[in-house]
Amino acid sequence: MWDHEIKAMASSHALIASSLFLATVVPAVLVQGFSVYGTHLLWLYSVSGTVSLVNISVFWLLGVSPPTKKHSLGYKLSRLFRSCIYFLLSCLFYHTVVVLYGAPLIESALETFSLAVLLTSLTTLRCLCVLGPNVQAWIRVFSRHGAMSVWDTSLQITVACTVVGAWVGAFPIPLDWDRPWQVWPVSCSLGSVIGFLTGLVAAPAWIHYHRKQLTYKCK
Amino acid sequence: FTADFFSTLRQLLILSLLLWVCVVFYVGIYLFVGGFLLVRLEVNRTSTCGDVLHPGEEQGDFCHVKPRFRRAVLLIIDALKIDFARFDPTNATPRHYENKLPVLEETASSRPSHSRLYPFRADPPTTTMQRIKGFTTGSLPTFIDVGNNFASSAILEDNLIHQLGQIGKRVVFMGDDTWESLFPKKFYRSLPFPSFNVKDLHTVDDGILQHLYPTMVSDDWDVLVAHFLGVDHCGHRFGPDHPAMADKLTQMDGVIRSVIERLENDTLLVVMGDHGMTDTGDHGGESQKETDAAIFLYSPSPLFPKLPFQSEPDVVPQTDLVPTLALLLGVPIPYSSVGQVLLPLFPPHGQTEGAVGGLSQLEALWINAKQVNRFLKTYSGMAKDIPAESLSKLQDVFSRVSSDYLSTVGKGQTPSPELAASLQAYLTSVRDTCRATWARFSPLKMAAGLAILAFACLLCFILSELSCVLIRENVLRAPVVAALSVGVCVAAGQLFTQGYIEVAWCLAAAALSSELLFLWRAHRVRTSVVAGNGSKAPKRANWLTLRHLLVPPLLVSLLRCASLLSDSYVIAEGRVVTFLVFSLSLYIPIHLNWDGLLLPPSHDPLKPAGLLPSPALSPSAVRKESSTLVACLGLLVGSLYLSLSFHGCREEQGTCQPSPFLSPLSRLQDNKLKNLHYVLSLASLGLWTYLLRRWLRHYGNLNSSGGTVFTARVILPLLSVCLGLHWAVSATPEDSFRNLADLISLAQLALPRAAFCLLGLGLLLIWLDPLTVFVKTRTVAPARGSSLPPPRYRASTGISPQAELHHLIPQIYQRMRRSLEDGELSGGAELDSRPAVEAYGLGTVYSAPLLLFCGLLGIGLLLLHPEGMALSFLLLLLQTGALLHIHASSTALNSGFDVPWTPVVLWSLAATQFFHATGHLPTFPSIQWNAAFVGFPGGHTGTILPASLVTLNTFASHILFAAGCPLLLFWPLVCEVRGSRGVRAVGEDGEDAVMEMRLRENPQQFSSALLQLSTRYLFILGAQVFASVCAAAILRRHLMVWKVFAPKLMFEASGFLVSCVFLLIGVTLVSRVDMAVGRWFKRLLPDESR
């Protein structure tokens, strides 16, 4: 039914996943002393930057984002501006949530914020790309009958996987194993990236196997 | 009056079911704890030099006899396993821990009359603290030694260090700082080094080595104790088979050699391990690898008889060190020692002249036997845990042997070797009896306890899932009958076969049989129900599938249980629970959104109308409701976050600072800070009281003149005033108002006692007269609302038109409604001749007394806490309110009154969360003992009162949440009037607020929902207890078992017991209200309408 779209999604997800992989490998080659644990923030920003860039360009090229009614430059600029604001707000939101979950408030605030940036670029940015700067639409997407297209369903799956991954990533922190990946926020960011990758794989697969049941009201 | 009678019967059935479930849980916990926790009473008597232990010798001073040795060096190498000490020259490829201490075997074989090496068997628990206690007191320390001083870990029992100090020996200590906490101020000189960091192999050892040799050379000591920790820490960190262990043991070899070189003739050297280790380097349990340490005895002067002693022991029990050392050094054997002197170190009878002073074997044995017998008599007078028949048997043996000995010595005969042998046999049997009582896990009991607990959890779950079916059947009678008969049968069987009854096993059999019978009956009932209504069968049959069980709330509960199996999570429990509460409360709006209930349905014209259920509410109502939900969530999250700042600190948490609010005000030095804290506490207390009263007034529950209303109007404010004054008085520095000292001390006594009395009175009034309904007849008081504030919801009227009009109670509603309409609406169609009736507060008739009960109880519990905890209690109130509101606004009412799992799990997690947020921790040192002295500054005479005060303090949060548990059932009804979510059967005009009267309309559903709620709560608490029991059973060899898991088990189990009691109290209060409401209706209704 939507074979074409599923294929497009699978390939774009493969592209994003490989860019994630590259974002880990390329700095390791270029930067002296780079490691995921040791220079965690560097890795984190490289991953979130790459994912953001690739996401934006992929969705731009595919033309998934909702058609805008106006085409004036001013309108586009204001959309862009609103998107940036939402991105920033989402970072702050994630930061707050993570602190409420028990992250240290003052010390290692930079690490916490970096995690928030990562989460934002893995989740909110996708929302921005697919749905545009419209919080109401974002909230509505995450309901049982909220998905209006294949992309919405994949958005649901990837975002849920990322958030659950970050949540699960917090589990090993209290353990007394003294591993480098237990340091805040390494396990959480690793968890969210792993969750995101799982989501990338799971979304097309799930949609493919459930394509008979899926009905979208309006496309 | 059949309806009322049936409802009473149903309430009784609920109560008895809950009681039965609790009892089953209790039996399981009792059995497990009986098999796992070893308890012993401490005897606080000390031996003195004046104890006449010698027969025939009139001199009273034991200590003036010249001892065998003047000085002794005790080198304790922690975890020196016997395998480490042995030396096997034929072993060509020794492992890292083998053949590294050649000095011991070399000396023992080259100078056999100077030294010996024995295996040295410790008793479980093989943890360092218990072992130090063991080989200084000569007793068998258990996990809990019940002494009169819980708060400090200092040894109060008579011990070797104390005895040495008594006769003026200078004891110098260096090494593991555990000794310093066990023997504070007992040493002549003490050089403790931090032992906590298991990863640190060298600090303690290097510290000792710096001071050991200089001390030995100087003449400033009589007994030198050096406790090395490196080997133990190496085992914990790397395991025994590691190069680091080889290095460590080689270092110890060097140490022993240098010590031997520096010894003088009058000095005894003891090198010993306190316990062994497993192949992974752990210890704590009772396997032979953990218990078998090594002991090496050496003296530069000949110590052992030339001829090889006939009965050279294979293994030396650890308790034997104490009497041996005591008699060799010439001090009395500590009072509670149950050890036996090590015979090879004493010369045989008749050879004492050759030796340099000291006692002969027989004399030593006699002194020892007499001391042990004295201890046994004292102990059996205090505690009853040693079986009576074995006691009397031991007594017989002793009297026979002692008469033998006395006659032999009296006649001056050479004693026969049999005498020594029978004395030895006596001592051995005493030790074995004691060990059987105090130092052995009972795996059978533990397994039985586990099984009973597992079945009880399952039973709770089934009861909660099938509550509406089971409440109709009389499911309880058969299990109870079975329990009684099986219990009696087992008891009779025991009486016949063994001659005495073991209560634990009778209880176990009874509990198990009743559980199994109940499960079988539940299964029968279920299948019959499934067969009865075939159409509903698939729906009923799949309630135990995986999909049904793996819903997020149960998953969170599972995570919580799993976290109890890891010591790190138990240590960080406060944060872990907060994390889980936060996660689960975030899940609620996400889930609602997933169901499309959070936002008003989009006004998309393209959307087909049939796909979604047609919205029952206008978008604005949904929006309002959602914003309330989000606001409550914000409040909940805020209180969660703030509650983190009231936590205490465990010693395992290195860089943790305990909350500043935990210290009582009187300890604060800064006056400004003190005032600030006081004002904050007072404000929170005031807010607590105000919110309670505000709620009651809002729902019109403050108008009548009953006991509960009196409590709310008078006693509640008075209690808060009392509490505030009490804080002020107790915070006053003692020297500031010298002339008022008498008054202050009087106030310190009187204010809390007055508060206790007020609290008791208030609770009693609520209990006796829980009704808060105010009825007004219009003809009597026509000027309505002039004196009283007009309550928002006065009358609970309204009933759906198709309701059963034949039923009695709806008739009353109808009548009241009619009379109301008569008054309110002009020209009502149904004019009635009866006087108009108004009922205030009928809508919250159930929740008002319960809420007031919990509120009062909360203030009472706050009295037992440090002042700063008022803030935390306020957070508790706010969080509870937020939780209830979230629950209310997320529950769709149309499916009966069932409380879903999510709020119940949240409720139970919040209980644990506030256990931590009120400054408590599941460790014994963190118990707030000050609570026992609130209102009793002079101390107590009994133990029951202080114990219950401390229990109330410790489990305050468990108590409040358990007693308030039925609120979860009422709150959606209370909030019903605020607009409802989802599809709900509301009356045609929105003003009809039936609220809690719905419960009266469906008494059957009400009962089953109450039963379901309580069993769900019990299930979650019970699952936690089961998890911590499992943790203790599985991890009984774990390094942290006595530090983390066993205390956690104790706290979890006691918390469960307390929660059960208060849950029952809460449910009983609800059923009392129910009965009172029934009576009230009866009174209201004239007789003719029957």
Side-chain angles (χ1 to χ4, degrees):
Chain A
M1 197 167 159
W2 311 294
D3 275 351
H4 168 70
E5 270 187 87
I6 293 173
K7 266 180 198 153
M9 181 188 298
S11 46
S12 70
H13 281 188
L15 200 66
I16 296 171
S18 57
S19 78
L20 244 170
F21 180 68
L22 279 182
T24 313
V25 173
V26 170
V29 177
L30 295 181
V31 181
Q32 201 84 66
F34 177 87
S35 74
V36 175
Y37 308 146
T39 53
H40 184 68
L41 290 190
L42 192 63
W43 174 77
L44 215 152
Y45 281 114
S46 121
V47 164
S48 38
T50 321
V51 168
S52 313
L53 278 180
V54 174
N55 249 332
I56 292 171
S57 43
V58 161
F59 282 101
W60 186 308
L61 289 176
L62 284 173
V64 174
S65 23
T68 50
K69 282 149 206 147
K70 300 178 205 160
H71 291 280
S72 68
L73 185 67
Y75 183 71
K76 274 185 181 163
L77 273 181
S78 93
R79 261 177 82 90
L80 188 68
F81 180 68
R82 280 213 339 257
S83 299
C84 289
I85 292 287
Y86 279 180
F87 188 88
L88 208 66
L89 283 180
S90 150
C91 286
L92 289 177
F93 172 75
Y94 273 120
H95 188 104
T96 321
V97 169
V98 169
V99 165
L100 287 175
Y101 256 119
L105 181 63
I106 295 162
E107 46 186 302
S108 64
L110 180 65
E111 280 84 353
T112 312
F113 190 74
S114 311
L115 178 67
V117 170
L118 179 72
L119 284 172
T120 304
S121 54
L122 294 184
T123 59
T124 315
L125 195 82
R126 243 176 124 73
C127 289
L128 275 172
C129 290
V130 176
L131 299 168
N134 178 358
V135 180
Q136 284 258 336
W138 296 0
I139 296 176
R140 208 176 293 284
V141 155
F142 293 101
S143 66
R144 189 171 283 140
H145 307 283
M148 303 287 182
S149 72
V150 189
W151 292 102
D152 288 357
T153 311
S154 97
L155 182 71
Q156 284 177 353
I157 294 172
T158 45
V159 167
C161 285
T162 312
V163 172
V164 169
W167 184 68
V168 172
F171 287 9
I173 294 176
L175 293 171
D176 55 355
W177 297 344
D178 278 345
R179 297 295 152 87
W181 47 266
Q182 283 181 291
V183 180
W184 175 251
V186 179
S187 60
C188 280
S189 47
L190 280 182
S192 59
V193 167
I194 291 169
F196 181 66
L197 285 175
T198 319
L200 288 185
V201 176
W206 193 87
I207 294 170
H208 181 74
Y209 284 112
H210 290 80
R211 61 187 187 279
K212 296 273 159 56
Q213 288 95 319
L214 283 174
T215 47
Y216 297 116
K217 275 147 269 161
C218 49
K219 178 72 220 316
Chain B
F1 217 149
T2 45
D4 221 35
F5 173 71
F6 276 127
S7 97
T8 313
L9 206 63
R10 252 194 312 273
Q11 306 285 0
L12 275 181
L13 182 65
I14 293 180
L15 280 177
S16 47
L17 262 174
L18 288 179
L19 193 67
W20 173 69
V21 170
C22 293
V23 166
V24 169
F25 267 112
Y26 284 11
V27 170
I29 292 171
Y30 169 73
L31 267 179
F32 183 85
V33 168
F36 176 72
L37 286 184
L38 314 160
V39 181
R40 183 181 64 107
L41 286 180
E42 276 184 8
V43 176
N44 289 319
R45 294 224 208 150
T46 51
S47 305
T48 59
C49 295
D51 294 341
V52 183
L53 296 165
H54 272 283
E57 292 175 41
E58 61 285 352
Q59 49 105 329
D61 209 344
F62 172 80
C63 309
H64 283 175
V65 181
K66 187 165 183 278
R68 176 78 176 78
F69 288 101
R70 191 169 69 83
R71 307 201 291 183
V73 177
L74 235 74
L75 292 188
I76 296 144
I77 300 176
D78 210 294
L80 180 69
K81 203 177 172 182
I82 182 67
D83 299 0
F84 300 172
R86 291 223 169 89
F87 185 80
D88 180 11
T90 60
N91 189 349
T93 52
R95 308 175 71 110
H96 288 298
Y97 59 88
E98 283 173 335
N99 289 359
K100 292 298 182 298
L101 287 171
V103 59
L104 305 180
E105 204 76 57
E106 265 172 31
T107 323
S109 52
S110 67
R111 309 181 71 182
S113 60
H114 293 260
S115 62
R116 284 283 191 288
L117 174 65
Y118 297 116
F120 193 42
R121 184 161 294 163
D123 300 292
T126 47
T127 46
T128 299
M129 210 256 268
Q130 263 79 17
R131 287 303 101 221
I132 294 175
K133 236 171 155 176
F135 64 72
T136 52
T137 60
S139 185
L140 301 161
T142 56
F143 170 57
I144 313 168
D145 288 336
V146 183
N148 51 10
N149 188 0
F150 269 115
S152 95
S153 51
I155 296 183
L156 293 177
E157 271 191 304
D158 194 9
N159 59 66
L160 206 55
I161 308 295
H162 174 77
Q163 289 295 345
L164 289 167
Q166 282 301 96
I167 66 160
K169 296 249 185 209
R170 293 161 296 177
V171 185
V172 175
F173 166 75
M174 49 189 76
D176 183 350
D177 59 1
T178 314
W179 285 74
E180 191 55 40
S181 64
L182 291 178
F183 304 101
K185 303 195 191 104
K186 292 270 181 174
F187 298 114
Y188 176 71
R189 205 147 70 83
S190 166
L191 299 160
F193 299 99
S195 65
F196 185 68
N197 186 359
V198 179
K199 301 212 164 68
D200 177 5
L201 304 189
H202 299 295
T203 307
V204 176
D205 294 4
D206 292 348
I208 297 173
L209 291 181
Q210 248 179 20
H211 298 99
L212 180 61
Y213 306 130
T215 312
M216 280 192 73
V217 173
S218 79
D219 209 33
D220 204 18
W221 59 280
D222 292 310
V223 174
L224 202 163
V225 180
H227 192 139
F228 293 92
L229 271 184
V231 174
D232 180 53
H233 282 188
C234 186
H236 284 308
R237 188 164 174 199
F238 302 114
D241 200 8
H242 191 274
M245 185 61 92
D247 296 344
K248 207 73 224 178
L249 289 174
T250 312
Q251 182 193 17
M252 288 299 122
D253 185 70
V255 171
I256 297 167
R257 278 174 205 278
S258 351
V259 168
I260 287 177
E261 276 166 27
R262 288 174 174 78
L263 286 179
E264 287 169 33
N265 270 340
D266 59 352
T267 311
L268 173 72
L269 170 69
V270 181
V271 179
M272 55 183 260
D274 57 347
H275 50 74
M277 60 170 77
T278 61
D279 293 336
T280 52
D282 296 323
H283 55 88
E286 76 272 56
S287 73
Q288 198 168 339
K289 281 181 172 152
E290 292 156 277
T291 55
D292 276 13
I295 185 165
F296 173 76
L297 299 153
Y298 174 82
S299 162
S301 61
L303 175 62
F304 294 90
K306 305 256 168 12
L307 302 168
F309 190 64
Q310 295 92 348
S311 57
E312 192 78 34
D314 294 329
V315 173
V316 177
Q318 205 177 51
T319 46
D320 292 1
L321 182 72
V322 168
T324 312
L325 272 185
L327 292 186
L328 285 177
L329 291 170
V331 296
I333 304 176
Y335 198 93
S336 10
S337 158
V338 290
Q340 177 183 152
V341 285
L342 204 52
L343 277 193
L345 276 94
F346 294 88
H349 191 78
Q351 296 178 16
T352 33
E353 300 81 31
V356 203
L359 305 152
S360 77
Q361 285 183 354
L362 198 64
E363 282 169 331
L365 271 176
W366 166 248
I367 293 171
N368 194 350
K370 221 171 155 196
Q371 167 264 328
V372 165
N373 182 54
R374 182 183 59 177
F375 165 69
L376 210 59
K377 268 187 184 162
T378 318
Y379 188 82
S380 56
M382 285 167 58
K384 299 278 168 269
D385 51 355
I386 301 179
E389 68 273 20
S390 48
L391 264 180
S392 62
K393 221 179 277 171
L394 287 173
Q395 198 57 49
D396 290 346
V397 174
F398 180 74
S399 49
R400 207 180 57 239
V401 174
S402 74
S403 65
D404 275 3
Y405 177 83
L406 289 178
S407 64
T408 316
V409 172
K411 287 176 199 151
Q413 292 170 345
T414 320
S416 60
E418 285 81 44
L419 190 55
S422 54
L423 275 171
Q424 265 186 301
Y426 168 71
L427 288 169
T428 312
S429 56
V430 170
R431 192 183 54 221
D432 289 345
T433 311
C434 291
R435 186 174 292 152
T437 318
W438 298 330
R440 201 163 290 157
F441 289 133
S442 158
L444 210 58
K445 268 192 188 174
M446 283 161 69
L450 270 173
I452 291 177
L453 282 176
F455 277 125
C457 286
L458 182 65
L459 190 144
C460 253
F461 188 80
I462 287 175
L463 207 53
S464 78
E465 292 294 316
L466 296 177
S467 65
C468 50
V469 186
L470 288 177
I471 203 161
R472 264 181 259 138
E473 316 276 328
N474 193 357
V475 280
L476 197 59
R477 197 195 297 145
V480 168
V481 170
L484 286 178
S485 50
V486 169
V488 169
C489 282
V490 170
Q494 279 179 345
L495 209 56
F496 271 114
T497 53
Q498 302 172 351
Y500 59 95
I501 298 177
E502 267 190 277
V503 182
W505 289 115
C506 301
L507 284 176
L512 258 181
S513 61
S514 76
E515 277 177 339
L516 292 176
L517 195 66
F518 178 85
L519 290 177
W520 185 69
R521 285 215 53 173
H523 180 74
R524 281 271 304 276
V525 167
R526 206 184 116 234
T527 42
S528 72
V529 165
V530 169
N533 42 0
S535 61
K536 276 172 114 185
K539 210 176 161 191
R540 281 241 169 262
N542 67 353
W543 58 269
L544 241 177
T545 54
L546 201 64
R547 197 187 157 80
H548 199 84
L549 286 178
L550 275 184
V551 287
L554 287 184
L555 205 64
V556 164
S557 174
L558 184 73
L559 278 179
R560 157 94 181 110
C561 291
S563 80
L564 291 173
L565 289 163
S566 152
D567 59 325
S568 310
Y569 286 127
V570 175
I571 289 170
E573 194 191 26
R575 296 190 80 97
V576 169
V577 171
T578 315
F579 181 92
L580 290 179
V581 174
F582 188 50
S583 305
L584 198 55
S585 50
L586 279 191
Y587 162 77
I588 294 176
I590 291 174
H591 181 74
L592 278 179
N593 186 38
W594 181 251
D595 287 341
L597 295 174
L598 199 61
L599 285 185
S602 60
H603 16 268
D604 199 345
L606 288 171
K607 182 173 286 178
L611 261 171
L612 283 172
S614 57
L617 293 164
S618 62
S620 69
V622 171
R623 207 160 271 149
K624 197 172 150 220
E625 190 72 2
S626 300
S627 54
T628 319
L629 181 85
V630 170
C632 284
L633 193 71
L635 185 63
L636 173 68
V637 167
S639 353
L640 267 177
Y641 189 71
L642 288 180
S643 79
L644 281 178
S645 54
F646 295 96
H647 283 208
C649 283
R650 293 176 72 113
E651 59 173 313
E652 290 90 350
Q653 293 170 308
T655 56
C656 171
Q657 281 292 324
S659 160
F661 296 102
L662 270 172
S663 59
L665 276 187
S666 49
R667 277 199 216 138
L668 281 182
Q669 295 302 321
D670 187 3
N671 258 339
K672 254 187 194 159
L673 200 64
K674 198 187 243 182
N675 287 342
L676 181 70
H677 274 208
Y678 180 67
V679 168
L680 274 178
S681 308
L682 214 57
S684 345
L685 178 67
L687 205 57
W688 171 284
T689 316
Y690 170 75
L691 285 176
L692 271 180
R693 283 194 50 139
R694 173 71 218 259
W695 189 89
L696 291 174
R697 206 174 57 222
H698 178 80
Y699 287 104
N701 291 109
L702 279 188
N703 297 326
S704 78
S705 55
T708 305
V709 178
F710 177 74
T711 308
R713 294 170 81 157
V714 179
I715 293 184
L716 186 67
L718 262 182
L719 189 61
S720 327
V721 169
C722 253
L723 189 52
L725 285 178
H726 166 64
W727 286 342
V729 169
S730 60
T732 324
E734 277 168 16
D735 47 351
S736 55
F737 301 101
R738 236 166 240 294
N739 40 358
L740 290 176
D742 285 345
L743 195 66
I744 287 176
S745 62
L746 181 72
Q748 260 175 350
L749 197 71
L751 280 172
R753 288 191 182 181
F756 283 139
C757 292
L758 281 174
L759 179 69
L761 183 67
L763 295 183
L764 192 73
L765 280 176
I766 297 177
W767 193 258
L768 290 179
D769 182 14
L771 219 53
T772 51
V773 183
F774 178 52
V775 190
K776 210 158 113 179
T777 317
R778 186 169 300 274
T779 48
V780 177
R784 178 180 70 86
S786 59
S787 57
L788 298 164
R792 297 271 276 290
Y793 315 109
R794 311 164 294 231
S796 305
T797 61
I799 187 150
S800 43
Q802 70 269 34
E804 329 86 282
L805 278 164
H806 317 291
H807 202 275
L808 177 78
I809 291 167
Q811 282 182 359
I812 304 167
Y813 299 150
Q814 291 294 351
R815 181 158 305 135
M816 284 172 52
R817 183 183 185 175
R818 258 175 274 152
S819 43
L820 261 180
E821 278 169 351
D822 176 35
E824 298 241 313
L825 313 170
S826 56
E830 303 146 318
L831 276 169
D832 209 307
S833 58
R834 287 195 192 82
V837 171
E838 280 177 43
Y840 291 81
L842 198 57
T844 53
V845 66
Y846 289 102
S847 42
L850 191 62
L851 194 73
L852 190 60
F853 188 82
C854 292
L856 267 187
L857 207 58
I859 294 184
L861 295 171
L862 181 54
L863 177 62
L864 302 175
H865 279 79
E867 293 85 344
M869 283 301 119
L871 290 167
S872 168
F873 271 73
L874 182 68
L875 285 181
L876 187 147
L877 186 73
L878 293 178
Q879 187 176 331
T880 317
L883 257 175
L884 286 171
H885 267 284
I886 291 174
H887 162 53
S889 58
S890 66
T891 313
L893 260 186
N894 46 1
S895 60
F897 308 117
D898 293 359
V899 180
W901 279 106
T902 312
V904 185
V905 172
L906 272 176
W907 200 255
S908 72
L909 285 178
T912 315
Q913 181 215 338
F914 275 101
F915 171 75
H916 286 271
T918 44
H920 299 290
L921 292 168
T923 59
F924 289 108
S926 69
I927 293 178
Q928 299 175 356
W929 299 105
N930 283 339
F933 301 104
V934 174
F936 302 90
H940 297 266
T941 46
T943 51
I944 296 171
L945 189 60
S948 46
L949 284 178
V950 169
T951 310
L952 285 177
N953 161 286
T954 306
F955 298 109
S957 132
H958 289 87
I959 289 171
L960 288 177
F961 278 96
C965 192
L967 286 177
L968 283 173
L969 176 60
F970 303 138
W971 214 265
L973 300 164
V974 171
C975 297
E976 178 188 11
V977 77
R978 281 190 314 108
S980 43
R981 169 178 300 287
V983 196
R984 193 180 292 174
V986 263
E988 51 270 50
D989 58 324
E991 295 302 307
D992 268 1
V994 184
M995 292 168 80
E996 289 177 0
M997 278 303 112
R998 272 183 200 283
L999 298 172
R1000 290 290 304 181
E1001 286 170 26
N1002 292 315
Q1004 184 91 39
Q1005 272 192 17
F1006 172 38
S1007 311
S1008 79
L1010 192 60
L1011 179 66
Q1012 185 184 45
L1013 174 66
S1014 330
T1015 41
R1016 281 189 170 175
Y1017 193 65
L1018 278 183
F1019 169 73
I1020 290 164
L1021 294 184
Q1024 287 174 18
V1025 173
F1026 180 67
S1028 61
V1029 162
C1030 280
I1034 296 167
L1035 301 167
R1036 58 186 188 281
R1037 306 278 164 72
H1038 194 275
L1039 168 66
M1040 287 293 181
V1041 69
W1042 301 112
K1043 251 187 152 160
V1044 174
F1045 295 115
K1048 179 64 203 157
L1049 166 67
M1050 297 285 291
F1051 275 82
E1052 198 68 55
S1054 347
F1056 180 79
L1057 302 192
V1058 175
S1059 297
C1060 275
V1061 171
F1062 278 87
L1063 182 69
L1064 278 175
I1065 289 179
V1067 174
T1068 319
L1069 183 62
V1070 170
S1071 51
R1072 278 195 68 86
V1073 177
D1074 197 45
M1075 282 190 269
V1077 173
R1079 277 200 302 275
W1080 179 77
F1081 273 124
K1082 222 185 333 182
R1083 247 200 341 264
L1084 196 70
L1085 199 74
D1087 285 283
E1088 73 263 23
S1089 71
R1090 258 206 252 177

